[in-house]
Amino acid sequence: MHYYPSETYKYNYSREERQKIIILELLQSNQPLQISNFEKILYVSRNTVLNELDVVEEWLRDRNLKLIRKPRVGLYVLGSEINKRKAIMDIASDTITTEELINYMNNKIAATKVDNFQFETLFSDIDLNFLNGLINYAENRLNRKFSDEAYTNLITHISIMIKRIQLGKKIYIPDINFEYIQNTDEYETSREIVERIEKKFNIMVPKEEIEYIALHLLGAKALKSNDIEKDDLYNVVKTMTLEMEQIYNVAFSNKEKIIQDLVVHLRPTIYRIKFDLK
């Protein structure tokens, strides 16, 4: 159930807030929505909604999605499932911080009305403490510590995935070398996470979703990672560091730490570029 302002106090959303709410509602709805729906939610006139829809339409177009407006039918978004999820994530990652997410987990309410609307849309009926446990399990399983940004993004991605599966939406990921992904520790961790999700939410998770979570684990920024020397990037980064010393005629006093930090930084960066992740 969404959080709406009371009748006695009608919150005045900004233009940007109105657009975010319209986008989230359209992307998360399983049926066409009427303009009157947004008039009631946002407490604005029909003309104001129409003006916002013009901006929303362009925003969606930039993400390879199309806003369909059909008289007597309503408004809905046309496009691939993966682009829809990326668009939802764009909205979420633009505004949701780790601090706000933890606050919402503890208090079940956000600091502002628009944030509360977003949290309710993204996380209603989702046990965030359970998802938090999944991320902690992934950190222990992969022997690394995720950054705050990666932590928040992973929880949001998994929540979006669960809600999309509940809506009957299936993902298709084009041009990915799944054979490579399936041989990684991240894939095995993802498979174990999915088993727990299936039991918790009583849903069947398609194999493609295991690969989807594995992609995000591979691309998740880490603050530290143990067993760096075993990473396939270690020798590449070590060679690169030695080359930089020769080129600039310098000697790094903390060379081993530089190498380790670069591996931790470059590994998820490479995967994010490789798999076109935000």
Side-chain angles (χ1 to χ4, degrees):
M1 182 176 180
H2 289 148
Y3 178 93
Y4 301 131
S6 67
E7 291 296 328
T8 55
Y9 174 69
K10 298 178 180 179
Y11 178 75
N12 185 24
Y13 292 105
S14 68
R15 285 206 67 189
E16 184 179 356
E17 289 173 340
R18 291 197 296 264
Q19 290 157 16
K20 286 180 179 178
I21 289 172
I22 290 172
I23 291 166
L24 278 177
E25 283 284 278
L26 285 170
L27 289 172
Q28 290 290 73
S29 176
N30 214 15
Q31 59 188 9
L33 298 175
Q34 302 297 321
I35 290 176
S36 58
N37 177 71
F38 297 114
E39 293 178 60
K40 293 175 184 175
I41 292 174
L42 302 171
Y43 294 106
V44 292
S45 68
R46 180 182 176 86
N47 282 341
T48 299
V49 174
L50 290 173
N51 288 336
E52 304 301 9
L53 285 172
D54 290 338
V55 179
V56 166
E57 185 171 15
E58 184 176 346
W59 188 93
L60 291 168
R61 190 186 303 119
D62 289 342
R63 288 155 181 81
N64 297 313
L65 296 169
K66 186 175 183 181
L67 176 63
I68 304 299
R69 313 188 199 197
K70 280 193 175 181
R72 296 183 297 279
V73 174
L75 307 159
Y76 60 94
V77 178
L78 201 61
S80 71
E81 174 64 13
I82 193 166
N83 283 338
K84 287 180 180 178
R85 291 196 197 182
K86 283 182 178 180
I88 295 170
M89 198 63 204
D90 275 352
I91 293 289
S93 61
D94 186 45
T95 54
I96 296 175
T97 66
T98 302
E99 183 180 4
E100 289 167 342
L101 181 60
I102 292 173
N103 177 67
Y104 183 79
M105 287 168 63
N106 293 331
N107 303 312
K108 303 306 177 192
I109 189 167
T112 68
K113 288 182 172 61
V114 69
D115 282 347
N116 210 83
F117 186 96
Q118 290 186 75
F119 278 113
E120 286 294 315
T121 303
L122 293 168
F123 304 120
S124 61
D125 302 320
I126 298 291
D127 185 344
L128 285 173
N129 289 313
F130 171 76
L131 297 192
N132 176 62
L134 293 182
I135 305 306
N136 289 337
Y137 171 78
E139 288 182 318
N140 292 329
R141 177 74 168 73
L142 297 170
N143 212 7
R144 72 182 64 137
K145 178 69 176 175
F146 296 128
S147 69
D148 284 354
E149 179 186 4
Y151 165 84
T152 303
N153 286 344
L154 284 167
I155 282 187
T156 307
H157 273 296
I158 293 173
S159 180
I160 291 170
M161 181 201 76
I162 293 167
K163 284 182 165 293
R164 301 302 288 179
I165 291 173
Q166 290 173 334
L167 288 172
K169 307 297 183 183
K170 294 185 178 180
I171 198 164
Y172 168 70
I173 311 172
D175 305 324
I176 297 294
N177 184 349
F178 291 120
E179 186 176 345
Y180 170 80
I181 293 171
Q182 289 166 6
N183 290 321
T184 63
D185 289 338
E186 284 79 3
Y187 181 84
E188 184 60 24
T189 303
S190 177
R191 188 186 62 77
E192 293 164 2
I193 284 174
V194 162
E195 286 180 357
R196 298 183 181 202
I197 289 171
E198 288 181 321
K199 290 178 183 177
K200 174 72 174 178
F201 295 95
N202 194 27
I203 56 176
M204 289 293 294
V205 178
K207 174 175 165 291
E208 290 80 6
E209 300 287 0
I210 301 175
E211 294 158 349
Y212 187 63
I213 293 176
L215 287 181
H216 290 289
L217 288 174
L218 285 163
K221 293 179 183 178
L223 296 175
K224 65 177 181 179
S225 179
N226 298 324
D227 300 326
I228 288 290
E229 290 82 359
K230 296 179 182 178
D231 195 294
D232 51 5
L233 263 181
Y234 181 82
N235 287 330
V236 175
V237 173
K238 185 176 182 180
T239 302
M240 182 176 74
T241 306
L242 293 173
E243 187 75 13
M244 292 297 289
E245 284 185 318
Q246 291 182 4
I247 291 173
Y248 290 98
N249 194 27
V250 295
F252 298 126
S253 58
N254 53 346
K255 184 156 48 187
E256 185 58 28
K257 186 178 187 307
I258 289 173
I259 294 171
Q260 292 190 13
D261 288 349
L262 277 171
V263 172
V264 170
H265 169 71
L266 286 175
R267 189 174 190 273
T269 302
I270 289 169
Y271 285 117
R272 286 198 301 276
I273 295 170
K274 186 178 180 67
F275 300 127
D276 190 29
L277 302 173
K278 184 177 177 63

